[in-house]
Amino acid sequence: MALVAPARENVAYFYQRVTSTTDLSRLGDVKLVVAGPQQDDPSAAARIKATGATAYRYVQSYWFPKGSSFDGLDIGAHPDWAFCASGSTPLAGRTTGSGTVWWFLDMNEQPVHQFFLDKFRALKAAGWDGVFLDRGFASLAGDSYHEIDKVSTCTGQPVTPGATFADAYVGIMAVAKQAGVPLIINYGISPFDAHTPLRSDAWNVLSSSGLVLDEAVSHPRDSRWAADFAVNLQNEQNSQHGGRVIGLLTTATIGIQNRQNVYYGWTRVKLFAIPLGVNTGDAGCTNTGGLPCNQHGLYPELANVGYGPPLSTRPESTQCASGDAIHCLWFRRYEQGISLLNVSPSARTGVISLGVSGCRYVLDLYTNRSIDGGHCVTSVSVSLGPWEGHPLEYGTKPF
């Protein structure tokens, strides 16, 4: 039987404007694109879909700037929509360097539900295939700004009396479902995290088609290796919700942004069958005023990788340091490639069989060179420097 090229596997996050002239080839051949909120061109969704990807639009419901519009809402014009920690005083979440105050949104207000129902329906009518709801971990599990198990003290028209901030976030998820809009939520970490797993009611609202973003899907070098291994295996294979997690590599998970670290982080994640994106754009991060920025580049060649199904149930290792189960040469074989990772401060050479019937032509994406001089091979010998990741792609014709 002739080999069939694997389907698109990866995703892209693009928090820059998409217009009728935007070159989207730099995203790669991804299956899904999450576009940022600054989309004012009515052709944006159609442009993304013309690449063969589904188009999701970023939305958040956590906090909004008082006195200016953010994604269609000036919360200063609706102070009764703000969340209050005591009395009727809106709770401020942050103040920017320019002095703009951001108020937390009371997601349990009936008018707020109507606002989002109208927004989701309008996005659907504009051609968007789904919405990406941000700030899931902050809303459901808490952060340094306020406690998510508190009930607003100034709710005028509650959707659910006594709903906490976290409960109300699930309520906004349900509004997307009501609007008939597929949903991705940004949980920030794995929904299978041992300490803070995703709430069951959130899974119920997501139903069988909703996805969860894990932004902690990797870490630099050997940081959190055992914990990441455990949750990524669950991200891939959980008995109830396996295959529902997508990943994003950012500076927080890559470390210093350079090609070696990006390829290492990407290959580390791709020891597991998880759709993955790198950064949120390519506009650069020189004029961000010290704010977090993940627009260092998009790596379309990684987005284009299609490994196909894995050939083993979990990653394998070889050449481990004495008495050490982490600092090894790690690999995972797939029908159309190998994810090969040197988790070590020392250079290593790996000799690994392809694990498929017959020979293949193999491209080492990190070095951009064909294995064994471009011959058809049944095994590969690859030299990896310290902390290097090498995605290997198979082909039935020379690269």
Side-chain angles (χ1 to χ4, degrees), residues 236-258:
E236 177 189 323
Q237 300 179 15
N238 181 267
S239 59
Q240 288 184 291
H241 306 295
R244 303 277 298 283
V245 173
I246 57 179
L248 173 61
L249 294 178
T250 65
T251 300
T253 50
I254 294 169
I256 297 172
Q257 286 258 359
N258 57 44

Side-chain angles (χ1 to χ4, degrees), residues 63 65-66 91-103 145 291:
W63 52 15
K66 173 181 174 287
L91 180 62
R94 62 173 176 171
T95 302
T96 67
S98 62
T100 301
V101 176
W102 288 60
W103 286 347
Y145 296 105
L291 295 174

Side-chain angles (χ1 to χ4, degrees), residues 129-202:
D129 297 306
V131 294
F132 169 82
L133 189 59
D134 200 11
R135 304 295 293 173
F137 185 84
S139 297
L140 294 171
D143 59 13
S144 60
Y145 296 105
H146 73 106
E147 298 177 60
I148 47 82
D149 60 352
K150 299 298 184 184
V151 178
S152 177
T153 57
C154 62
T155 306
Q157 303 176 65
V159 176
T160 304
T164 65
F165 192 89
D167 296 336
Y169 182 88
V170 178
I172 296 297
M173 292 173 58
V175 172
K177 187 174 183 180
Q178 179 184 353
V181 179
L183 185 63
I184 303 170
I185 65 165
N186 182 6
Y187 195 54
I189 63 173
S190 169
F192 309 109
D193 179 77
H195 303 291
T196 319
L198 182 64
R199 292 167 45 147
S200 59
D201 57 350

Side-chain angles (χ1 to χ4, degrees), residues 3 306-307 334-338 352 354 356-365 369-382 391-399:
L3 292 176
Y307 278 147
Y334 295 83
E335 286 187 355
Q336 303 282 3
I338 298 176
I352 301 172
L354 303 189
V356 296
S357 176
C359 69
R360 297 288 188 276
Y361 298 94
V362 181
L363 175 68
D364 183 338
L365 206 60
R369 294 178 181 174
S370 294
I371 296 293
D372 197 18
H375 293 96
C376 197
V377 298
T378 58
S379 64
V380 293
S381 176
V382 182
L392 308 181
E393 292 186 279
Y394 300 166
T396 56
K397 298 179 180 179
F399 288 93

Side-chain angles (χ1 to χ4, degrees), residues 202-226:
W203 277 120
N204 290 339
V205 174
L206 284 171
S207 64
S208 61
S209 60
L211 300 173
V212 180
L213 171 60
D214 180 357
E215 289 190 89
V217 73
S218 180
H219 289 87
R221 297 195 171 184
D222 57 356
S223 176
R224 291 183 52 83
W225 179 270

Side-chain angles (χ1 to χ4, degrees), residues 220-223 225 260-261 263-265 268 326-328 341-347 366 384-390:
R221 297 195 171 184
D222 57 356
S223 176
W225 179 270
Q260 177 180 338
N261 289 347
Y263 269 70
Y264 181 88
R268 176 171 169 173
I326 294 176
H327 298 101
C328 312
L341 187 72
N342 182 15
V343 186
S344 166
S346 303
Y366 184 72
L384 296 89
W387 312 110
E388 279 187 2
H390 290 227

